[in-house]
Amino acid sequence: MNNAESKPQEFLYLEVCSHNKEGKLPLHTSIALFLLSYCECKSFKVCLVTSTSFSSQSWKTQVPKCLGASEVGVEHLPWLVGGCRLPAVLDVSGMYCRAGLAVVLRHIINRTIEADPGRNDISALLGFKKTCLKACAEVSQWTRLCELGIPSAVEEHLRKPTDQSLHLPPAIFNLEKTLGEPVKVHNDDKIRRQKLKQQQQQQMKKKKEEEEKKEEEEEEEEEEEEEEEEEEEEEGGGGESSNVPEDLDDRNQPDQLNPTDGLELRAALAKLSVDAVTRPATRVCSEIRKVRTCELPPLEHVFAEGLHFTLTDVVLLPCIHHYLSSLLAHGPRALSQLPLLLRWYGRVQAVPGVLRAAQACGMPLSALPPTPPAPEEAPPPGQAAQEGLGNTAEVPFIGGPRPTMTKLKENGIEAVFSPHPCPAWSLPWDSLPAAVNPTEGKMSDGRAVRKRQQLNNLVTMVTELVKPGSTAVDFCSGGGHVGIVLAHTLPNCKVILIENKEESLVRARERSSKLGLANVGFIQANLDYFTGPFDVGVALHACGVATDMVVEHCVQARAAFVVSPCCYGFIQNTVKFTFPRSDRFQETLSYKEHMVLCRFADQTGGQLPPERRLTGKLCMGLVDLDRSWAAEPRGYSVRVMTMEPQSCSPKNNMLVGVLRGHAGAMAIGTTGPEPLAVGSSDEK
């Protein structure tokens, strides 16, 4: 690791929680420590965050000594880290924080590769196209299951490890089910044809062995008959038998591979092998090439994501180890319900470096003993539950948006838009530094003009809602167009940019560095991992359900919000959100009818006829009206406005919400909302 010393160490903060006045490592901490040990990574100063003193220090045996970890009180955390759920990594500047399990683990892998580019085994953990656990948990069911579902289910089980564990948690059941599904990987057609060839060869070999065995048996019978005849003719006993026992003979033969231990396992072990492996010829005969894809044998799981050991297996191993060990102690019969998980658990231990890393973390891995057969019971409640989308049966809808809009109108619900309080306000773009201007993001001149107009709308709202010392958070910040402008315009306020995509946030930090901004911080994390206090939340074109996530986060923090929605067609029920949002809309529309509004709300592009765009604008207004009504019972006053000029974006709605009685309530306008006139223009 020649480059380890050239780059300063970052600070990795891991949680130590308290259980019965004793220290205990949460699973997300154990997972991070296991990865550090597996990677042999020395690029971090590991800080174990404690909130109290513990009567016992036994938890320290689970921390690899080679890491040189130190303890730090929660009250001494840096301000950015203190506003995030752990684990978190803070760079040496103290202005860039990475938070959340998947984000932190991927960063550990990247830093390991930077320090030693030759670690191909570590690079392979990120999977095909380096996307393993890259999608955030809000949009990826798989990331949500591995990052949140499995650890939470195991933590809950460990708190109550009783025989009721026979009822598998839905997350564990979903993982067992996934391990039994066919694997789909890049170029799997080629691998499946190789598997078919292997199966045919094994069948031919088996047939040949059966024929040879039959011939041997016939020869042995003939020999026995001859020996019996000789014994009758000769007097006295014979010598020692020279026949080799059949079972000993079998030891010299290559083991027959089970269907699940064939090509998939060989491919996985070959990839993990330290020694170079010569690849066999991959071309298959013409008969196999003619076999249709649908008739090829499926590939089976070796590891969690398919044929290769990835970061997902690293995340799951500490969780599954503790879960299986607990089942073995308190409900061993339940193990028989998890044959695929047990097989996976055994295979992971064969990966080079896993046993070493587990031992350093005080996690003794071992083969589990045989378990009794599972009792014949009805499937436990919750097994069929799937994490993901919500509603199932719905009343069918008829036609496009018109029937739905008419239905709403008959119930007294119409799209309404409040007047813009400062339609002509603009930042002095010509006098601002180049790094503040959105043209710094390498966009076309026309788009840069529209982006400046969008920023004018959001900045004018935010400046009316903050005061010196306030904290504004730019959610889904992307390259920092909103956050950078706010930080430069409001030097007496603190601005935090939150974005899941590292590439975008790094670009925003570079722009901030050019400006020398000292009042801005950057957090690379899923939105839910930010838990710090703030006064105003802002988001420009938060896609789909992200708008609802931002509004909900602001409402829970009792903060004002200025949000411009986007991608209405991506709105759908999730684990946390169901639609429609407000009581009034729920009483009037079904989920599918609401989806009709969302789908047509996306039809506001400039290439569409004016009447079609007007219908799209009305649908946008209705969807956002539902959002505003959902916040109002929780103490908020929300207005839906149109950004000025309307041509700044096809998605030109803006939701401005403040707590009732807030001084900023007057700033967003006191004039009541007005229905959108049929002749109003939203020309591009």
Side-chain angles (χ1 to χ4, degrees), residues 53 90 109 174 216 232 247 277 299 345 476 485 508 524 583 591 607 617 657:
S53 58
L90 188 68
I109 292 173
N174 287 343
E216 290 176 359
E232 291 176 357
D247 58 345
V277 178
L299 299 178
Y345 181 66
C476 310
V485 173
Q524 181 192 340
D583 292 340
Y591 171 57
Q607 76 280 5
K617 176 68 173 177

Side-chain angles (χ1 to χ4, degrees), residues 229-241:
E229 292 176 358
E230 291 176 358
E231 288 176 357
E232 291 176 357
E233 295 176 359
E234 297 178 2
E235 292 182 0
E240 295 181 357
S241 171

